[in-house]
């Protein structure tokens, strides 16, 4: 009997084989992967190798199946709307390959006006892996869709040290402490943490590239047997490993937007907690808060961070909220376009930005006239001017912005919500921010 043809599906819609082949080649080229390796991987996938197919699916954000007739195609299309292997689980992978996943401004205070800044990682965040059989007692993130209305899943305690918010999650059954980093496109473990929890190298490994603010950063990949956050299974097991360093906080890595985007997330850093909710998908989604609060429509980048317009000194620029950044920062290019001169920057107080790989940059603290976010105006804000390299934003709102604000990320409905929080000095000091 002749073998059934290989077919490719995205969100239940069949993709032409030639289009899929072109998409794969473009994804591999953009990702900088070895040509001979990717060609061999494609051949193995088309020959039916399950692991090779899984990797091709990860690269291109599709499902590969062999179906003999149109009836089975219809069955598959219907199944994708409810199955765990639907694109609600796979996520929008196709646009992510080859784009830089920014991990901007991981800042830690150091003596002598030195601060740390995180790596800018050229990594495509994988979404397509299913949980291992040992974690079936947990619910699977991404398979629950709240539509409209809030449904709370769980809460995580946040420990903030020197303006670095950290959370503890479970990987391979072991606790790991990660920086809570909405500006990181992908979750990362340190080599020491990966070894401690027994993470294993994958049978086939992509050549992932990561670069810091001043040079390349060595990286590799491992696979986890299980990964849970607040009792929810994260449906992927492949994770990046890189030597992330910090100034004064012992960490096992970063918890990035690839994981957080499975949920609606209520960041209440002033009360040392975040709450996870089923992801809302409708355009009129709202937070589980009483009024008043401000809602802001956002875009969603290839690396799963939410970007939105703000006004800085009367000019519209793009911004993101980065819980991994100690200080709010604007790119040098944007500052110059706003009329800040090189002479003015030279007269501003300078600080040293220290990268996660030990690299350093000089930045300046500049006082702008006003910053408007969601209609709320801050007068005379002191903002760090540094050479940021973000695709969709020129301004990073850091933990200093979040000290007196609660923020809700609704990744599914493309919105964020802001609410003012009033704290006395004692309460604010207790947060570690």
């Amino acid at each position: 009997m002749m073998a059934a043809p290989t077919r490719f599906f995205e969100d239940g819609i069949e993709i032409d084989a030639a289009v899929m082949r072109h998409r794969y080649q473009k994804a591999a080229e953009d990702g900088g992967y070895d040509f001979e390796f990717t060609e061999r991987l494609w051949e193995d996938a088309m020959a039916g190798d399950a692991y090779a197919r899984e990797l091709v699916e990860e690269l291109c954000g599709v499902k590969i199946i062999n179906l003999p007739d149109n009836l089975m195609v219809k069955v598959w299309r219907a199944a994708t709307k409810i199955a765990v292997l639907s694109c609600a689980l796979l996520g929008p992978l196709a646009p992510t390959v080859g784009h830089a996943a920014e991990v901007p401004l991981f800042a830690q205070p150091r003596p002598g006006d030195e601060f740390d800044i995180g790596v800018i990682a050229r990594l495509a965040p994988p979404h397509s892996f299913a949980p291992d059989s040992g974690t079936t007692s947990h619910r699977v993130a991404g398979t629950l869709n709240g539509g409209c209305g809030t449904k709370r899943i769980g809460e995580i305690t946040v420990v903030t040290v020197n303006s670095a918010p950290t959370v503890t999650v479970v990987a391979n059954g072991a606790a790991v402490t990660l920086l809570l980093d909405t500006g990181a496109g992908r979750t990362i473990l340190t080599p020491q943490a990966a070894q401690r929890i027994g993470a294993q190298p994958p049978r086939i490994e992509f050549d992932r590239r990561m670069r810091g603010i001043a040079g390349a950063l060595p990286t590799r990949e491992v696979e986890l047997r299980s990964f849970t956050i607040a009792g929810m299974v994260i449906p992927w097991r492949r994770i990046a490993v890189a030597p992330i360093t910090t100034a004064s906080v012992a960490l096992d890595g970063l918890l990035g937007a690839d994981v957080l985007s499975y949920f609606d997330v209520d960041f209440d850093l002033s009360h040392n907690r975040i709450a996870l909710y089923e992801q809302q998908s409708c355009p009129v989604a709202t937070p589980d808060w009483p009024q008043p609060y401000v809602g802001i429509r956002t875009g969603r980048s290839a690396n799963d961070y939410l970007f939105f317009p703000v006004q800085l000194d009367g000019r519209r620029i793009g911004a993101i909220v980065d819980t991994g950044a100690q200080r709010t920062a604007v790119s040098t290019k944007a500052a110059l376009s706003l009329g800040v001169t090189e002479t003015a920057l030279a007269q501003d107080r300078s600080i040293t930005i220290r990268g996660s790989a030990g690299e350093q940059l000089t930045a300046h603290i500049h006082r702008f006239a006003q910053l408007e976010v969601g209609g709320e105006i801050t007068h005379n804000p002191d903002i760090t001017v540094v050479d940021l390299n973000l695709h969709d934003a020129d301004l990073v709102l850091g933990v200093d912005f979040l000290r007196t604000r609660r923020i809700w990320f609704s990744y599914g409905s493309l919105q964020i919500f802001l609410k003012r929080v009033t704290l006395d000095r004692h309460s604010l000091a207790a947060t570690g921010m």
Side-chain angles (χ1 to χ4, degrees), residues 131-140 226 228 230-233:
D132 69 304
S133 59
T135 57
T136 55
S137 61
H138 298 281
R139 290 177 293 175
V140 180
S226 62
T228 60
M232 291 292 296
V233 172

Side-chain angles (χ1 to χ4, degrees), residues 53-234:
R53 285 196 172 192
E54 187 176 37
L55 296 177
V56 171
E57 288 171 348
E58 177 191 355
L59 268 178
C60 298
V62 299
K63 181 63 184 173
I64 304 173
I65 57 175
N66 291 91
L67 295 175
D69 54 43
N70 289 333
L71 175 61
M72 289 302 295
V73 171
K74 292 178 181 179
V75 171
W76 167 253
R77 287 174 177 170
T80 56
K81 298 183 183 299
I82 60 174
V84 171
L85 290 176
S86 71
C87 284
L89 180 68
L90 291 173
L93 284 175
T96 70
V97 180
H99 290 270
E102 271 65 11
V103 188
L105 286 178
F106 171 36
Q108 292 296 327
R110 298 178 65 88
D113 284 333
E114 294 186 353
F115 297 88
D116 281 355
I117 186 171
V119 297
I120 298 173
R122 189 173 179 81
L123 294 170
H127 287 242
S128 61
F129 292 107
D132 69 304
S133 59
T135 57
T136 55
S137 61
H138 298 281
R139 290 177 293 175
V140 180
T143 64
L144 305 175
N145 192 320
C148 279
T150 57
K151 185 173 181 180
R152 189 183 178 99
I153 296 171
E155 182 176 303
I156 306 172
T157 298
V158 177
V159 177
T160 303
V161 181
N162 295 329
S163 297
T166 67
V167 294
T168 298
V169 299
V170 179
N172 284 0
V176 290
T177 300
L178 306 177
L179 177 72
L180 181 63
D181 196 348
T182 57
R186 190 175 177 189
T187 298
I188 302 171
L189 286 179
T190 65
Q192 295 84 355
Q195 181 178 14
R196 175 172 61 83
I197 67 174
Q200 298 297 314
R203 184 159 64 94
I204 299 177
E205 183 175 358
F206 289 135
D207 179 22
R208 304 289 190 183
R209 293 180 294 166
M210 179 182 292
R211 59 185 176 86
I213 57 175
L217 188 66
T219 184
R220 59 187 176 90
E221 289 185 327
V222 294
E223 287 187 352
L224 303 178
R225 297 187 304 276
S226 62
F227 191 91
T228 60
I229 175 172
M232 291 292 296
V233 172
I234 305 303

Side-chain angles (χ1 to χ4, degrees), residues 34-56:
D34 178 76
F35 175 78
E36 292 185 2
F37 165 74
T38 52
E39 288 298 294
R40 187 169 65 253
L41 182 66
W42 175 268
E43 292 173 1
D44 290 346
M46 297 306 100
D49 184 281
Y51 196 85
R53 285 196 172 192
E54 187 176 37
L55 296 177
V56 171

Side-chain angles (χ1 to χ4, degrees), residues 286-345:
T286 59
D288 190 19
W289 300 341
Q291 292 277 8
Y293 55 79
V294 174
I296 303 174
R297 293 289 177 183
T298 75
R300 183 169 172 176
S301 78
N303 306 302
D304 287 328
Y305 54 70
L306 302 179
F307 59 92
F308 52 93
V310 299
Q311 297 276 340
L312 183 60
D313 284 3
R315 293 277 297 277
R316 179 187 172 108
I317 62 174
I320 65 169
V321 174
D322 184 1
T323 58
Q326 181 192 10
R327 299 182 62 99
T328 294
V330 66
S331 70
T332 302
K333 180 179 178 181
L336 294 176
S337 71
L338 293 172
V340 179
T341 65
E342 295 279 5
T343 301
L345 288 177

Side-chain angles (χ1 to χ4, degrees), residues 242-279:
I244 305 299
T245 61
T246 62
S248 56
V249 182
L251 294 175
D252 295 318
L254 311 174
L255 181 65
D258 57 339
V259 171
L260 297 171
S261 60
Y262 284 113
F263 311 97
D264 270 28
V265 188
D266 178 5
F267 296 91
D268 191 3
L269 301 187
S270 62
H271 292 97
N272 300 311
R273 66 192 179 201
I274 63 170
L276 303 179
Y277 290 76
E278 290 187 12
Q279 189 185 92

